[in-house]
Amino acid sequence: MRSDLNHDTIVAFLADIFDRRGGEEYLGEPVTMAEHMLQGATIAERNGLPEDIIVAALLHDIGHFTSEFGTFTMDDTEDRFHEDAGAEVLAPFFPSAITDCVLYHVAAKRYLCATKPEYFKRLSEASIHSLKLQGGPMSPEEVAEFRKNPNLERIIQVRYLDEAGKHADMETPGFAHFAPMVQRIVDRHRNGES
Ligand SMILES: [Fe+2]
């Protein structure tokens, strides 16, 4: 973990990743990485969802940039366990209501495929492809275990926003629009309020 990250620098750190790396391709989708995350956050905001959901959608794929976190090893591949890496870098600064959405957004896809037949139709081709690599739909035992998570509802909401944020042409505000919201959540967490 990078030692220069703290409650006052984390938001600028995340903004900088969006700036410098956001233009990278979101593998197999018609959007860049930044567009994908900004679209999810924008759709959440337009639907009046709470700030923790908006911020979770905004940051859910931040783990794709593992090389920024100081935890990169040569064994890493682009997409491998990006959800773990993302949750790990956010964990000191954000409540579990947000980090769980990041940590389990891949598991949520496997959960929804196992429990909601109509959900599968929402998946893009790339998402179906990665589903196979991620272990396919959950088994009944895995589903039962997953349901125990107190943040289940949030996790599912963010997963739907993940699916929704793949429009080839959607106007969204940039990271700066969401930065004050992100900082509010970081500050609340620092003060032990969430
Ligand atoms: Fe995503």
Side-chain angles (χ1 to χ4, degrees):
M1 182 63 64
R2 293 168 45 130
S3 56
D4 56 333
L5 288 183
N6 60 49
H7 293 88
D8 297 315
T9 59
I10 182 71
V11 178
F13 169 77
L14 295 169
D16 181 56
I17 292 180
F18 269 75
D19 270 5
R20 284 185 301 104
R21 310 279 311 270
E24 289 177 18
E25 179 190 5
Y26 184 28
L27 225 59
E29 306 287 358
V31 287
T32 65
M33 289 300 305
E35 283 167 349
H36 169 56
M37 295 195 281
L38 288 166
Q39 286 185 13
T42 301
I43 293 165
E45 189 174 42
R46 286 182 187 161
N47 283 288
L49 296 179
E51 289 198 345
D52 56 356
I53 298 289
I54 299 170
V55 170
L58 180 71
L59 301 178
H60 79 276
D61 269 334
I62 202 74
H64 277 291
F65 306 109
T66 40
S67 57
E68 304 283 338
F69 303 162
T71 55
F72 179 78
T73 75
M74 288 308 284
D75 297 332
D76 288 352
T77 60
E78 173 91 13
D79 207 323
R80 234 190 132 116
F81 305 126
H82 70 279
E83 64 274 29
D84 295 332
E88 193 183 314
V89 77
L90 300 178
F93 312 110
F94 293 86
S96 62
I98 288 178
T99 54
D100 271 3
C101 296
V102 176
L103 185 57
Y104 296 116
H105 76 273
V106 172
K109 177 168 73 168
R110 299 184 55 231
Y111 170 81
L112 287 167
C113 285
T115 56
K116 298 222 184 323
E118 72 278 7
Y119 169 77
F120 188 78
K121 294 188 205 121
R122 292 177 181 235
L123 294 182
S124 63
E125 221 173 290
S127 200
I128 292 170
H129 174 74
S130 59
L131 173 69
K132 290 181 196 142
L133 300 175
Q134 290 153 349
M138 281 186 175
S139 67
E141 295 75 30
E142 288 176 304
V143 166
E145 194 55 38
F146 197 63
R147 285 207 170 116
K148 293 180 190 162
N149 191 307
N151 291 312
L152 179 67
E153 231 171 281
R154 285 191 182 88
I155 294 167
I156 301 301
Q157 266 183 315
V158 171
R159 183 66 222 187
Y160 279 116
L161 291 164
D162 188 351
E163 247 62 73
K166 297 175 182 180
H167 294 283
D169 47 9
M170 177 182 163
E171 290 285 324
T172 72
F175 184 90
H177 169 77
F178 297 102
M181 194 186 288
V182 180
Q183 188 66 56
R184 267 198 296 282
I185 288 177
V186 169
D187 289 344
R188 273 204 296 273
H189 190 59
R190 164 165 45 188
N191 298 333
E193 294 162 26
S194 66

